[in-house]
Amino acid sequence: MLPHRDDTPADLDLGDLVMRVARDLRRSGMAAFEPYDLAPHHVRALRVVAHQGTMRLGELAQHLRVAPRSVTDVVDALESRGLARRSPDPDDRRAQVVELTDDARALVGRIDEARRAGAEAYFARLPAGERETLRRILLRLDADA
């Protein structure tokens, strides 16, 4: 059974609490791209290409953990909005690569900044020392994964 907001803290284990915080952060992060009329999967694709660089469509599908045909639809939508462009892979002309336009890179910068600001506001409820402790703990858990 999934935990609900009305569950008492004693009813929640660490996994439940981490998932609740992650959902809250995801919701506030989604607010960062609402003004741009982008779906969450479009933003994820933009962010992956922005941070990883030009890549084959198959690689993007792997990063997004979706089927290659799904990533084609996402890239089609981004391309139609002038945010991405496809071109033949210089190493294998049978394959295509996707890259972001300058407008898309600027947009990702604005979205990333808004997401960071939202996360900072979320965690500002904690004193600085507790935020730093939480950061160290999460970094350690992430490194061990």
Side-chain angles (χ1 to χ4, degrees), residues 7-132:
D7 288 340
T8 61
D11 295 335
L12 301 171
D13 63 27
L14 282 175
D16 294 336
L17 290 168
V18 168
M19 293 305 293
R20 281 171 60 162
V21 168
R23 276 193 301 272
D24 287 346
L25 287 171
R26 187 171 50 249
R27 263 189 237 108
S28 72
M30 288 172 54
F33 56 82
E34 281 177 6
Y36 305 105
D37 192 32
L38 290 167
H41 54 284
H42 294 149
V43 173
R44 285 181 55 225
L46 287 171
R47 292 184 78 234
V48 166
V49 178
H51 298 288
Q52 299 292 320
T54 300
M55 64 178 55
R56 286 184 177 188
L57 297 179
E59 291 175 288
L60 179 56
Q62 288 175 339
H63 279 280
L64 297 175
R65 295 184 179 99
V66 299
R69 68 182 169 277
S70 297
V71 87
T72 298
D73 293 340
V74 170
V75 173
D76 286 346
L78 295 175
E79 206 169 25
S80 73
R81 294 193 53 186
L83 298 172
R85 65 180 151 261
R86 276 182 265 223
S87 60
D89 185 335
D91 297 326
D92 180 356
R93 297 193 62 77
R94 295 170 296 169
Q96 290 189 327
V97 294
V98 62
E99 65 181 321
L100 299 187
T101 63
D102 291 340
D103 287 346
R105 281 191 279 285
L107 175 62
V108 170
R110 290 191 303 273
I111 290 170
D112 282 352
E113 181 56 38
R115 288 170 49 109
R116 272 190 295 281
E120 286 176 19
Y122 182 85
F123 288 112
R125 299 179 286 174
L126 297 174
E130 288 182 7
R131 284 195 310 266
E132 187 51 39

